[in-house]
Amino acid sequence: MKPDMRDKLQKFNEEISYYIRPTTFPLAIKMATSLDVPNQKVKRPKEQLHLNLFLCQAIGICRRQGWSILLSKEDISCPSALFFLGLAKPPQFYWEGKFVFAPFNQTEKARARRTRSLPFFPKNKYKGILISPLFKADFEPDSILVYGNPAQMMRFVQASVFKTGSALKFIAQGGGSCALEVVLPIIKNQVGLVLPGNGERMFGLTQDDEMVFIIPNKKIEETVTFLRETHKGGQRFPIPAYSQFTPQLPPDYMRLLETVKKEK
C-alpha cells in the first residue's frame, strides 16, 4: 500500500475517534482475491489458533482486541457467512426456506423470502475476507465498519445527509448482520446502518445498545469531511447537555437558601 494511503487511513481513524468516540476500534474490511498476505501479524484462525470462527465473531475479536484476521473458507464455521461471502454455494433447500433458523416457528415461505432478500457475493469471486483495526490497516479497504450506540450512529447519518439533505434508507430484519455489514455496502457503494441480529449478539458479543455504520471505500473521505462540517455546524457527540438554568429546589431547601442568603 502506498504511504499516502496509510497516512489517509490513520487520519480517518483519528477523525472518527474524535468526532464519534467509539468504544471499540473502527475496522477496515477487504475482500481478498488472494490468501497470500505478506503481513506476518495477520492471524489465520484455523492454522494459528486452531479455531473455526463465525464472521461476526472474528469482527468482534478485531474491534475489541486490535487483531488483524484473514478468514478463508476453512476458517469460517458459519454456513450463512460462507454463502454471503460467495465462498460456498447454498443448497436448493436453503433458498426454499427449508433450512430452519430462528424464529423456528416461521413458515418456509417467509423464511425463503427473508433469505432471498439478503445480498450475496458471486460464488468464487473472492478467496476470503481480511479484517483489521483501521489504525493499523496496511491495505486499501473496501469499507469501514464502526460500532456504536444510536447517538453515535446518528452522527454518521447527519454527516451522510449533510450535502444533499436527502434521507438515508436502510433495511433490517433482525438477522443476516454480516451480509448487511460486509456485502451490501460494497455491492451498492452506499453507506449502511445495520441493526445487528441475535447471532451477532450471541457470538460476536455485540452489546444491546450497539449498532453498526458502514462506509464503502468511495464514501470514506466524504463521510469524514462531513462529520467535521456537521460538528462545526453544531451537531456533536457527546450531545451537549443544556444546563444553563436555575434548579427548582424543594420548599425546605428554598427556605434554607433564603435564610443563608440573609445572613451578613
Side-chain angles (χ1 to χ4, degrees), residues 12-169:
F12 292 153
N13 183 75
E14 289 172 5
E15 295 208 67
I16 289 171
S17 298
Y18 180 79
Y19 293 118
I20 302 297
R21 305 190 184 193
T23 57
T24 61
F25 299 120
L27 296 178
I29 300 292
K30 180 73 174 179
M31 294 307 302
T33 55
S34 170
L35 299 178
D36 296 325
V37 178
N39 188 342
Q40 298 301 311
K41 293 184 179 180
V42 173
K43 299 185 185 300
R44 296 296 308 275
K46 181 73 172 179
E47 178 182 332
Q48 296 175 310
L49 306 176
H50 308 292
L51 295 173
N52 293 103
L53 302 177
F54 281 17
L55 175 54
C56 58
Q57 186 182 5
I59 288 173
I61 291 171
C62 292
R63 72 184 180 96
R64 290 189 178 87
Q65 296 180 219
W67 290 3
S68 297
I69 292 179
L70 175 63
L71 299 171
S72 67
K73 182 177 181 178
E74 288 68 32
D75 299 296
I76 298 175
S77 58
C78 174
S80 291
L82 292 173
F83 300 153
F84 298 143
L85 298 178
L87 302 179
K89 181 181 179 180
Q92 186 58 35
F93 68 82
Y94 182 82
W95 296 118
E96 293 172 351
K98 294 178 181 178
F99 175 73
V100 179
F101 50 80
F104 307 121
N105 55 351
Q106 191 173 34
T107 66
E108 289 184 2
K109 184 177 180 180
R111 194 176 294 118
R113 185 178 294 114
R114 281 177 62 196
T115 297
R116 293 177 182 276
S117 72
L118 291 168
F120 295 76
F121 283 133
K123 176 76 164 55
N124 295 330
K125 181 175 181 179
Y126 300 109
K127 296 290 184 64
I129 179 171
L130 178 57
I131 310 163
S132 176
L134 184 59
F135 76 88
K136 66 189 293 188
D138 60 356
F139 55 88
E140 183 173 359
D142 291 324
S143 62
I144 290 175
L145 275 63
V146 186
Y147 284 70
N149 62 42
Q152 292 167 312
M153 299 297 99
M154 175 196 70
R155 287 294 295 115
F156 276 122
V157 172
Q158 291 167 340
S160 299
V161 305
F162 177 78
K163 184 176 180 179
T164 65
S166 299
L168 300 184
K169 296 180 181 179

Side-chain angles (χ1 to χ4, degrees), residues 169-210:
K169 296 180 181 179
F170 308 107
I171 62 173
Q173 54 166 248
S177 301
C178 55
L180 300 177
E181 292 166 7
V182 175
V183 184
L184 187 62
I186 295 174
I187 289 177
K188 296 289 188 181
N189 189 34
Q190 295 175 349
V191 296
L193 178 63
V194 174
L195 177 66
N198 292 65
E200 181 168 2
R201 296 185 189 279
M202 291 171 65
F203 302 107
L205 305 185
T206 300
Q207 299 301 295
D208 291 349
D209 64 343
E210 287 186 307

Side-chain angles (χ1 to χ4, degrees), residues 181-254:
E181 292 166 7
V182 175
V183 184
L184 187 62
I186 295 174
I187 289 177
K188 296 289 188 181
N189 189 34
Q190 295 175 349
V191 296
L193 178 63
V194 174
L195 177 66
N198 292 65
E200 181 168 2
R201 296 185 189 279
M202 291 171 65
F203 302 107
L205 305 185
T206 300
Q207 299 301 295
D208 291 349
D209 64 343
E210 287 186 307
M211 302 177 72
V212 195
F213 200 85
I214 307 94
I215 313 167
N217 181 290
K218 293 182 180 179
K219 301 284 186 181
I220 297 172
E221 189 158 3
E222 168 183 299
T223 302
V224 173
T225 296
F226 294 146
L227 274 176
R228 190 184 314 123
E229 291 301 312
T230 51
H231 181 89
K232 290 178 182 177
Q235 293 178 318
R236 301 181 178 182
F237 183 85
I239 312 301
Y242 183 79
S243 57
Q244 299 176 40
F245 58 88
T246 302
Q248 297 300 305
L249 299 173
D252 285 348
Y253 279 80
M254 290 299 296

